[in-house]
Amino acid sequence: MGQIPRFLSWRNMLVLSLAVNFSLILKILKGDKERGDSWPDRTAYSSIWPVISTTASGSSLLSSASCNYTKIEEDDDRIINLRLGDPTVYERYWQEMGEVTTLVIPGWQSLSYFSDHNNLCWFLEPELGKEIVRVHKVVGNAVTQDRFIVVGTGSTQLYQAALYALSPHDDSGPINVVSAAPYYCSYPLITDCLKSCLYRWGGDAKAYKEEGPYIELVTSPNNPDGLLREPVVNSSKGILIHDLAYYWPQYTPITSAADHDVMLFTASKSTGHAGMRIGWALVKDRETARKMTEYIELNTIGVSKDSQLRVAKVLKVVSDSCGNETAKSFFDHSYDAMYERWKLLKQAAKNTKRFTVPDFSAQHCSFFGKVFESQPAFAWFKCEEGIVDCEKFLREEKKILTKSGKHFGDDQSFVRISMLDRDSNFNIFLRRVSASSNSTL
């Protein structure tokens, strides 16, 4: 092998590297100085990622700057996507909590399919079952005594499991599944996606006139309009599924413990942990719970143990926070966030008179011990003054993506808008719709 030239010695290469790096640093510093006032205001982005400081003890404290809803975000003309209920509004609370929800799962854990051989729902982690019972007892929003808990990959899988369990398995044909409009937009899609011979989408419960058995979905508080719901068809042949994903005190007053045959809940909207994909059903009837478990066994052979353990840890922290008198509980924090957002949106609607949002009756909440109005996870937003297609208008004129009312069995003058996005997006949305009083809305 030939000898390496002297000019490529390690000493020469080191000097060359230092010179190049130093010149790059000078160029960057010079560029910042030359940009001057044209450089974007960094404070405009401060609420996109909450400012976290760490105390001497290692706990995290949330900067008050990230909680300021009146702060004007820099509107960089980007598209604001509020079509989905992605619950990132809860990020700042969980960042503030620091390591308290951190969970270490060793590699040897979760090898077996089974969690509890003695449980009807054999893949339910005992720790999750315990924390589900505890959080419902703390909040007082559902009866858990003498109930079977079935865990699923989000409430979507549990909805499918409930349809499988409650449909007649004979030659009578598919049972109709109905819900009062405006209904959750995914119900028709989920119901008909497999073209099942057991069940089919039957449309708006308010228009349902057919004889014979049927399944009615009762979502309360309702998605998309946030109203409290009761069954509509009211026939003795009806089978009910209650979707109570939003029956938590940050969204609506807890007036009583829900006591229904099949009740669906999810970590997505209760604590904001949508990515963990965990939901649970509280079921009265053993055979119904058995069939729901059978469906999940056939569909996914159980539910992720790791996700269950993480949700169990989160629910424990939530319940513990409710008994902590020295700091805000999770529900206190979440209530305040939703209250502030709804206050600002209602004020904008009052000022512009170009759009409306629903009015809600004030009720006494047994959890908070006070009277307040519902403050739902979604705003059922109606464009006024001759705008026929509200979704199209907001998309083209305001660069705001929403979900049209037509997907919910209602009019196109309505859209569903998520109230759960990050502060930065919510503030820009609010500014754009508020400015509509001086524009074409």
Side-chain angles (χ1 to χ4, degrees):
M1 181 180 292
Q3 190 174 18
I4 299 175
R6 292 186 60 187
F7 69 86
L8 293 179
S9 68
W10 69 269
R11 287 188 179 89
N12 290 342
M13 296 302 295
L14 176 62
V15 171
L16 179 61
S17 175
L18 290 173
V20 170
N21 287 329
F22 184 67
S23 65
L24 286 173
I25 292 171
L26 288 176
K27 186 176 180 180
I28 291 170
L29 292 175
K30 182 180 179 182
D32 280 354
K33 185 175 180 180
E34 289 177 350
R35 274 188 290 265
D37 294 337
S38 65
W39 186 252
D41 180 9
R42 296 167 192 258
T43 62
Y45 301 93
S46 63
S47 70
I48 296 178
W49 302 109
V51 181
I52 303 293
S53 61
T54 305
T55 64
S57 63
S59 61
S60 299
L61 298 175
L62 186 65
S63 167
S64 60
S66 65
C67 301
N68 186 0
Y69 283 93
T70 61
K71 178 179 173 59
I72 300 298
E73 302 294 334
E74 179 172 339
D75 191 339
D76 55 8
D77 205 34
R78 69 177 183 268
I79 293 174
I80 302 298
N81 190 347
L82 300 178
R83 295 181 80 247
L84 304 177
D86 202 22
T88 49
V89 65
Y90 297 111
E91 273 184 344
R92 51 196 176 96
Y93 176 82
W94 292 113
Q95 287 175 328
E96 180 180 347
M97 296 304 290
E99 300 297 316
V100 70
T101 55
T102 297
L103 182 67
V104 177
I105 301 176
W108 52 263
Q109 195 169 339
S110 303
L111 296 183
S112 173
Y113 289 111
F114 298 92
S115 296
D116 185 354
H117 290 276
N118 298 318
N119 195 337
L120 182 66
C121 184
W122 50 266
F123 44 83
L124 170 65
E125 284 292 305
E127 189 66 21
L128 176 59
K130 183 181 77 172
E131 293 303 331
I132 287 172
V133 171
R134 183 188 176 204
V135 75
H136 283 302
K137 183 177 180 180
V138 168
V139 175
N141 63 339
V143 173
T144 58
Q145 187 175 0
D146 299 325
R147 296 297 191 279
F148 297 94
I149 300 175
V150 181
V151 66
T153 305
S155 60
T156 298
Q157 187 183 41
L158 289 167
Y159 168 57
Q160 294 171 309
L163 292 181
Y164 173 84
L166 297 172
S167 298
H169 290 233
D170 54 27
D171 296 329
S172 60
I175 189 171
N176 285 313
V177 181
V178 299
S179 186
Y183 42 71
Y184 176 39
C185 57
S186 291
Y187 282 155
L189 301 175
I190 297 169
T191 305
D192 286 342
C193 69
L194 297 179
K195 306 299 180 184
S196 172
C197 63
L198 298 178
Y199 48 81
R200 66 186 176 192
W201 180 247
D204 185 359
K206 290 181 285 189
Y208 188 72
K209 304 297 182 183
E210 294 188 29
E211 298 293 330
Y214 65 93
I215 296 174
E216 182 175 355
L217 304 166
V218 182
T219 306
S220 187
N222 190 41
N223 174 359
D225 60 15
L227 298 177
L228 298 176
R229 286 286 188 86
E230 296 288 342
V232 171
V233 181
N234 289 324
S235 168
S236 60
K237 297 181 180 180
I239 305 169
L240 302 179
I241 299 174
H242 282 78
D243 184 346
L244 304 181
Y246 303 95
Y247 192 47
W248 297 95
Q250 67 266 47
Y251 305 123
T252 191
I254 303 302
T255 57
S256 63
D259 183 9
H260 307 291
D261 291 343
V262 179
M263 301 182 286
L264 307 183
F265 294 90
T266 173
S268 171
K269 299 306 185 292
S270 55
T271 68
H273 290 86
M276 293 186 190
R277 306 309 306 132
I278 292 294
W280 62 92
L282 302 177
V283 185
K284 276 186 182 181
D285 178 62
R286 179 183 180 86
E287 183 61 13
T288 300
R290 186 195 68 77
K291 287 183 178 179
M292 290 179 68
T293 301
E294 178 182 81
Y295 174 86
I296 295 171
E297 178 181 345
L298 293 171
N299 187 229
T300 53
I301 321 179
V303 176
S304 168
K305 289 186 176 184
D306 291 1
S307 289
Q308 290 188 62
L309 293 173
R310 287 197 64 197
V311 171
K313 182 76 170 179
V314 168
L315 291 180
K316 182 180 186 305
V317 170
V318 168
S319 296
D320 288 347
S321 74
C322 295
N324 186 352
E325 297 181 357
T326 62
K328 266 188 177 183
S329 73
F330 168 78
F331 292 116
D332 284 322
H333 173 95
S334 304
Y335 170 90
D336 289 347
M338 298 306 297
Y339 173 82
E340 188 68 20
R341 290 188 172 195
W342 271 99
K343 182 181 73 172
L344 293 172
L345 182 59
K346 288 179 179 179
Q347 187 61 50
K350 181 179 179 181
N351 291 343
T352 66
K353 301 191 184 302
R354 303 295 179 88
F355 68 88
T356 57
V357 291
D359 292 321
F360 302 100
S361 299
Q363 293 181 293
H364 181 267
C365 177
S366 59
F367 177 77
F368 284 124
K370 63 182 179 182
V371 175
F372 64 93
E373 297 178 8
S374 293
Q375 40 201 39
F378 296 101
W380 194 228
F381 186 103
K382 187 176 190 295
C383 288
E384 302 289 354
E385 299 194 353
I387 296 176
V388 176
D389 191 337
C390 192
E391 185 275 334
K392 181 180 179 182
F393 173 82
L394 291 174
R395 172 168 41 86
E396 294 182 352
E397 301 295 331
K398 301 295 179 181
K399 293 188 178 181
I400 300 170
L401 302 184
T402 60
K403 196 89 168 180
S404 173
K406 67 182 181 182
H407 299 295
F408 304 87
D410 212 321
D411 192 84
Q412 289 189 104
S413 62
F414 288 94
V415 294
R416 189 192 70 174
I417 293 176
S418 172
M419 298 291 284
L420 301 178
D421 214 304
R422 294 185 178 93
D423 290 353
S424 56
N425 283 345
F426 180 79
N427 290 342
I428 292 175
F429 154 71
L430 201 64
R431 175 198 265 187
R432 290 181 188 175
V433 297
S434 297
S436 62
S437 58
N438 299 318
S439 65
T440 58
L441 181 61

